[in-house]
């Protein structure tokens, strides 16, 4: 708390002239009534009542469980009874478990393949939207799916792709008499990927547009005067100036894609025995099923190990992304 | 750097002799035209899908299956009544509503003072605290799922609405604190300083000056929490076990699962979907602009 005397606002003069720093602060504290610093001193006393509740709730209900997950992942435990310390054994075990590998592989597919598709589409949409008439209407409509629980899309897909459902009835007049079995166990995951692209692109388009809209119009005017082609304008104006927004979006998608659970859980009403077919599992589903499905003895150790690995994946990717996206911020 | 790159098009002009339009308007190309067309198509399909879903909720299962493209012959609330009574959606809607409102109000009430402190006091401690809160943004829910279940089970808070509320508040802290800190930073300091000069206490300046100024940001944070708590599924599915505690998404899942045994009741299912989606639509139509702004602003950095 002693550093408090160097409060930047109280020491504004001090910043301009480093030599005068000491006298100024001493004078301030001697007078003690200077408003800036007195309110600051008072404010500091609010630390416990203001930050305390948020800090405690967050620590107890978020950070402690997160650390607890690491702890549990080092044990063999069925949820009740004794915990047996097994070190990194759980990690070794899940890496030999083909089910985990395919689940984790699916998560990676969502992260990279769906992510790439979303970004390309969202960027293309942003470019078209940038100066089209009625852009606000379009933006508002394509943003809305973000507010809908992914469960809804999963259930609807079951209706639309069902053997006597809408897709097949649309395909029939086109001469497709033998449509693919959309909801066969092997086809569900690709369908989930397509559904996610359709429902998520709008959200990222909205964010990218917020970045593109910030670019002042005189840059475009300059481009027009200089005779830049559309591609050159994209390459030399739009991309460099929205680079940081791209970075933000990439981080957001990394975090949210690893969490994907609901849509897989109900996709196509497939959860016959309460659990979706293993071909469409993601790492999150793997964690949930191993701990709570009630089908076998819960394996809390393996389940948390899978979750901790997802967290590790996020951390590594976020650090890499931040490093890769770090450019000189373009001031404008 | 940017200046150098901006010069590049100048050289391009010498080569390309095509008409350079001095104004920005009037650039038309086939690709662009197709793009605009496709976008409007997307918009039309989205709206049609939403309307279609609501319309199906008023038709009975047989009619839906016979002709999925049809429109309801009459305004028949039978599906809703059945979902409401048989599918336990009544209790679930009430639980969802209660949980969403209570946890969102408390989240904002607890996060706002914290964000205020972090935005106004700048020292080593607050900087590391801010970082500590941001950390939570990157932790996916499945990580804390099992330990949380074990912990709450010890204090008899699993299968309890109170426990679920607590969890939602804790889990929402990082985002809300982050968003509100950014918002409080954007508010001018002058009014607070003037109030302080007039002898208002530090708490007084927060309560009587900053909070009223921050009404917009706080409302945005609240609505964002309402949306995320209304839709939250994984934690609710894990923590709640008895039917009378289910929130709407959990009830929907259990309704879907029942159908694999009792035959598909698409009418009831569509009614359930509408119950999940419609409140969000109402909020969006009512406060949409604020929402998109809040979400995109909160994401900056």
């Amino acid at each position: 708390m002693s550093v408090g005397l160097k409060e930047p606002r109280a020491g504004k003069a001090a910043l301009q002239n480093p030599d005068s720093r000491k006298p100024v602060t001493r004078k301030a504290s001697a007078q003690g009534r200077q408003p800036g610093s007195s309110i600051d001193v008072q404010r500091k006393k609010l630390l416990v009542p203001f930050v305390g509740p948020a800090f405690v709730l967050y620590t107890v209900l978020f950070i402690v469980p997160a650390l607890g997950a690491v702890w549990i992942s080092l044990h063999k435990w069925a949820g009740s009874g004794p915990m047996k310390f097994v070190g990194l054994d759980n990690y070794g075990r899940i890496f030999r478990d083909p089910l985990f590998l395919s689940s984790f592989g699916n998560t990676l597919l969502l992260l990279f393949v769906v992510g790439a598709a979303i970004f390309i589409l969202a960027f293309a949409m942003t470019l078209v939207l940038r100066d089209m008439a009625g852009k606000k209407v379009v933006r508002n409509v394509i943003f809305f799916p973000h507010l809908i629980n992914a469960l809804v899309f999963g259930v609807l897909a079951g209706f639309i792709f069902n053997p006597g459902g809408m897709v097949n009835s649309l395909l029939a007049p086109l001469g497709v008499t033998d449509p693919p079995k959309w909801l066969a166990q092997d086809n569900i995951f690709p369908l989930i990927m397509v559904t996610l692209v359709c429902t998520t692109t709008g959200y990222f388009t909205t964010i990218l547009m917020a970045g593109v809209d910030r670019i002042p119009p005189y840059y475009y005017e300059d481009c027009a005067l200089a005779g830049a082609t559309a591609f050159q304008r994209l390459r030399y104006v739009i991309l460099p100036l929205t680079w940081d927004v791209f970075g933000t979006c990439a981080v957001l998608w990394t975090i949210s894609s690893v969490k994907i659970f609901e849509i897989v859980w109900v996709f196509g009403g497939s959860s016959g025995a309460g659990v979706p077919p293993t071909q469409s599992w993601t790492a999150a589903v793997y964690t949930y099923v191993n701990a709570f499905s009630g089908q076998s003895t819960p394996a809390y150790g393996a389940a948390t190990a899978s979750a901790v690995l997802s967290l590790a994946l996020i951390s590594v990717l976020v650090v890499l992304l931040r490093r890769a996206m770090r450019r000189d911020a373009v001031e404008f | 750097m940017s200046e150098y790159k901006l010069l590049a098009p100048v050289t391009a002009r010498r080569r390309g002799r095509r008409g350079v339009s001095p104004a920005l308007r009037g650039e038309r190309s086939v690709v662009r035209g197709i793009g605009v067309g496709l976008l409007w198509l997307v918009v039309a399909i989205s709206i049609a899908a939403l309307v279609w879903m609501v319309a199906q909720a008023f038709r009975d299962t047989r009619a839906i299956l016979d002709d999925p493209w049809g429109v309801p012959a009459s305004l028949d609330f039978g599906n809703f009544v059945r979902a409401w009574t048989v599918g336990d959606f009544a209790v679930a809607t009430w639980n969802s509503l209660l949980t969403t409102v209570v946890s969102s109000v408390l989240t904002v009430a607890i996060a706002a003072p914290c964000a205020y402190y972090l935005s106004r006091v700048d020292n080593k401690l607050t900087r590391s605290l801010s970082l500590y809160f941001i950390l939570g943004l990157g932790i996916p829910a499945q990580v804390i799922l099992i330990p949380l279940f074990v912990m709450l089970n010890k204090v008899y808070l699993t299968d309890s609405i109170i426990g679920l509320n607590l969890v939602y508040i804790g889990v929402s802290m990082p985002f809300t604190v982050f968003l509100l800190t950014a918002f409080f930073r954007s508010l001018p300091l002058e009014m607070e300083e003037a109030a302080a000069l007039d002898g208002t206490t530090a708490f007084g300046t927060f309560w009587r000056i900053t909070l009223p100024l921050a009404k917009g940001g706080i409302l945005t944070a609240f609505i964002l929490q309402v949306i995320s708590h209304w839709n939250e599924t994984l934690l609710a599915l894990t923590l709640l076990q008895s039917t009378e505690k289910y929130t709407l998404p959990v009830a929907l899942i259990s309704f879907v699962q029942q159908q694999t045994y009792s035959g598909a009741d698409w009418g009831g299912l569509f009614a359930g979907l509408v119950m999940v989606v419609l409140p969000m639509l109402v909020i969006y139509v009512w406060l949409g602009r604020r929402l998109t702004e809040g979400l995109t602003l909160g994401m900056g950095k």
Side-chain angles (χ1 to χ4, degrees):
Chain A
M1 280 292 115
S2 60
V3 266
L5 283 177
K6 290 189 213 153
E7 191 59 37
R9 234 171 291 125
K12 216 172 234 171
L15 284 177
Q16 287 153 1
N17 183 3
D19 292 352
S20 71
R21 188 169 56 83
K22 274 218 157 123
V24 170
T25 37
R26 201 187 300 142
K27 204 164 83 195
S29 61
Q31 286 178 352
R33 285 269 144 240
Q34 211 198 25
S37 72
S38 115
I39 186 85
D40 284 337
V41 168
Q42 262 197 31
R43 221 182 246 150
K44 283 210 189 69
K45 290 189 188 138
L46 292 173
L47 174 68
V48 173
F50 270 37
V51 181
F55 182 82
V56 169
L57 274 167
Y58 170 61
T59 306
V60 171
L61 290 164
F62 206 140
I63 296 298
V64 168
L67 295 175
V70 178
W71 175 246
I72 292 176
S73 76
L74 301 175
H75 292 76
K76 188 171 163 53
W77 193 30
S80 55
M83 290 170 86
K84 188 168 154 247
F85 186 82
V86 292
L88 294 175
D89 212 32
N90 282 322
Y91 292 91
R93 230 183 55 199
I94 58 172
F95 269 117
R96 287 191 302 274
D97 180 359
L99 208 49
F100 171 76
L101 290 180
S102 77
S103 309
F104 202 69
N106 280 346
T107 298
L108 291 179
L109 276 178
L110 290 180
L111 182 50
F112 292 110
V113 177
V114 175
I118 289 175
F119 269 57
I120 293 168
L121 282 177
F123 191 57
M125 283 169 91
T126 310
L127 292 183
V128 176
L129 267 173
R130 188 172 58 81
D131 50 3
M132 84 182 244
K135 90 174 174 187
K136 280 195 180 135
V137 179
V138 176
R139 187 178 59 183
N140 288 343
V141 171
I142 60 175
F143 178 79
F144 183 60
H146 178 66
L147 306 184
I148 299 181
N149 193 330
L151 280 178
V152 174
F153 304 121
V155 174
L156 282 182
F159 183 77
I160 293 170
F161 288 104
N162 151 5
M166 303 175 75
V167 172
N168 288 355
S169 78
L170 268 184
L171 287 176
L174 299 176
V176 185
T177 45
D178 187 23
K181 292 189 173 54
W182 302 108
L183 295 177
Q185 301 205 329
D186 284 325
N187 291 340
I188 284 191
F189 194 71
L191 267 189
I192 290 177
M193 290 171 65
V194 173
T195 313
L196 278 171
V197 172
C198 296
T199 54
T200 320
T201 303
Y203 173 57
F204 285 100
T205 308
T206 318
I207 301 182
L208 285 181
M209 265 188 78
V212 172
D213 279 349
R214 261 183 357 202
I215 300 174
Y218 51 79
Y219 280 135
Y220 300 129
E221 279 159 22
D222 194 39
C223 283
L225 284 175
T229 61
F231 176 74
Q232 284 167 327
R233 196 175 52 202
L234 173 66
R235 169 74 184 76
Y236 297 110
V237 177
I238 300 179
L239 269 183
L241 294 184
T242 46
W243 195 245
D244 55 330
V245 187
F246 269 96
T248 313
C249 287
V251 170
L252 271 178
W253 173 249
T254 306
I255 294 171
S256 60
S257 67
V258 172
K259 288 192 230 190
I260 289 171
F261 170 85
E262 295 97 316
I263 188 162
V264 180
W265 195 249
V266 296
F267 198 86
S270 56
S271 42
V275 175
T278 51
Q279 289 94 326
S280 64
W281 284 15
T282 60
V285 177
Y286 181 89
T287 300
Y288 182 83
V289 172
N290 262 311
F292 300 110
S293 75
Q295 293 200 320
S296 53
T297 0
Y300 278 19
T304 42
S306 147
V308 170
L309 276 180
S310 319
L311 179 58
L313 175 72
I314 293 181
S315 323
V316 170
L317 282 176
V318 168
V319 169
L320 283 180
L321 273 171
R322 291 208 75 104
R323 186 153 296 172
M325 293 307 220
R326 183 149 297 161
R327 298 262 178 107
D328 316 326
V330 184
E331 299 283 335
F332 60 93
Chain B
M1 183 194 89
S2 64
E3 217 161 296
Y4 169 73
K5 281 189 173 165
L6 282 174
L7 285 178
V10 175
T11 51
R13 179 179 53 176
R14 295 209 186 101
R15 282 181 279 117
R17 287 203 145 260
R18 285 195 290 128
V20 176
S21 65
L24 289 167
R25 307 270 167 199
E27 44 175 306
R28 289 275 176 273
S29 74
V30 182
V31 182
R32 209 185 137 68
I34 295 173
V36 171
L38 281 179
L39 263 183
W40 282 113
L41 190 68
V42 169
V43 170
I45 292 178
S46 309
I47 295 176
L50 190 64
V51 172
W52 170 78
M53 190 183 82
V54 177
Q56 301 310 309
F58 291 101
R59 306 174 70 207
D60 66 82
T61 306
R62 182 179 299 264
I64 294 175
L65 285 178
D66 282 349
D67 175 21
W69 306 96
V71 286
S74 62
L75 214 56
D76 175 14
F77 283 91
N79 290 328
F80 288 95
V81 173
R82 208 170 52 258
W84 200 255
T85 49
V86 184
D88 299 311
F89 278 111
V91 186
T93 307
W94 167 244
N95 285 342
S96 260
L97 201 66
L98 185 74
T99 312
T100 304
V101 172
V102 170
S103 62
S104 303
V105 167
L106 288 178
T107 301
V108 173
I110 293 169
C114 175
Y116 175 76
Y117 190 89
L118 295 182
S119 71
R120 287 292 180 266
V121 179
D122 181 41
N123 56 34
K124 259 202 189 109
L125 179 70
T126 55
R127 276 192 293 272
S128 35
L129 274 174
S130 302
L131 211 62
Y132 177 68
F133 275 106
I134 287 176
L135 210 63
L137 287 176
I139 302 180
Q142 71 253 37
V143 173
I144 61 169
L145 200 62
I146 294 165
L148 209 53
F149 182 79
V150 173
M151 280 169 53
L152 289 179
N153 214 7
K154 285 222 169 86
V155 289
Y156 305 104
L157 281 175
T158 48
D159 199 18
S160 120
I161 295 290
I162 298 178
L164 190 67
N165 271 303
L166 277 175
V167 170
Y168 282 177
I169 295 170
V171 171
S172 310
M173 270 313 138
F175 178 74
T176 317
V177 167
F178 175 67
L179 180 76
L180 286 177
T181 306
F183 187 78
F184 283 132
R185 282 221 177 98
S186 72
L187 291 178
L189 282 173
E190 283 78 8
M191 307 229 334
E192 281 180 55
E193 276 161 4
L197 272 176
D198 291 342
T200 320
T201 57
F203 178 77
T205 53
F206 168 67
W207 187 250
R208 286 164 50 191
I209 310 294
T210 312
L211 269 194
L213 277 178
K215 235 187 276 165
I218 286 178
L219 183 63
T220 306
F222 172 73
I223 296 298
L224 288 175
Q225 289 317 310
V226 166
I227 290 167
S228 80
H229 294 167
W230 179 263
N231 289 328
E232 205 290 323
T233 311
L234 181 58
L235 288 166
L237 185 67
T238 311
L239 295 175
L240 305 172
Q241 281 115 27
S242 46
T243 334
E244 72 272 10
K245 300 280 167 50
Y246 280 179
T247 56
L248 212 41
V250 187
L252 192 66
I253 291 179
S254 101
F255 194 71
V256 171
Q257 288 178 348
Q258 277 166 28
Q259 306 204 344
T260 46
Y261 304 111
S262 61
D265 173 10
W266 283 106
L269 204 47
F270 274 106
L273 295 184
V274 168
M275 276 183 229
V276 174
V277 173
L278 224 48
M280 297 296 103
L281 183 65
V282 170
I283 288 182
Y284 189 53
V285 169
W286 180 32
L287 294 162
R289 195 180 49 82
R290 192 183 284 288
L291 269 184
T292 37
E293 266 168 22
L295 267 181
T296 45
L297 176 127
M299 294 317 166
K301 257 193 197 139

